[in-house]
Amino acid sequence: MPTLGVNIDHIATLRQARGGKEPDPLQAAVLAELAGAHGITAHLREDRRHMQDRDIYLLKQTVTTHLNLEMAATSEMVQVAMDVTPHMATLVPEKREERTTEGGLAVRGKERDLEKIIENLHEHNILVSLFVDPDIQQIKAAARSGASHVELHTGYYANASGQAQDDELAKLQDAAIAAHKLGLRVNAGHGLNYRNTSRVADLDHIEELNIGHAIISRAALVGMDLAVRDMLALL
Ligand code: PXP
């Protein structure tokens, strides 16, 4: 079975909605680890819409499992990563107007540029994963660029239903097999929830699943009962 990386970005989204200090993603990371999470994932976006630089530095000092920093392949983010030295950097495409990461990284044709970035990160003992669509050409390009890992984009599978979802699952399996044959280690994530995760977890060669929105959403709802009772007790 794959391990679980909990993406805590949306704890920061909630904090930024008020511009205050609560809820603190650092505390969420500690609770996720206490519950058994195998890793913590956080995305420092160029627009700093959720995670802030302070969060990433403190997460590095606090996380006792492993820290996976999602980031765009820009010189600013590479500098931050080399300074923070997370266990892993996952390179993702980033557009300011998107709500969340929409597609995989276009690796094909950019191998040279990515190779330099990956080398720099490797020199700082940071593993590098490329977030890619389940597309054999992108996976071959990821292998050429020197990455040790790919994270397969499960969003197409998560958004599909019926036969189309079965077809997307088959694509994920083919992609994981191809990546494994090329010597890449395979993670997966995006859009996974309490209904659609098991089938991805059962695929061969998937080592880690990164899941955020579904876990943070459920945390808010399963915590509602106690939170209301705690407030009532003060009245
Ligand atoms: N993996 C990557 C590369 C992502 O960009 C995201 C979203 O930040 C996730 C996994 C987690 O996706 P979700 O929040 O839909 O579980």
Side-chain angles (χ1 to χ4, degrees), residues 7 9 43 70 92 100-101 131 151 189-192 210-213:
N7 181 316
D9 290 347
H43 185 174
E70 281 182 20
V92 300
T100 179
T101 316
F131 182 58
E151 178 173 329
H190 209 284
L192 296 178
N210 281 308
I211 306 182
H213 189 264

Side-chain angles (χ1 to χ4, degrees), residues 20-42:
K21 292 188 173 176
E22 288 181 338
D24 193 326
L26 220 66
Q27 292 173 330
V30 170
L31 291 172
E33 286 192 323
L34 284 174
H38 302 93
I40 299 296
T41 297

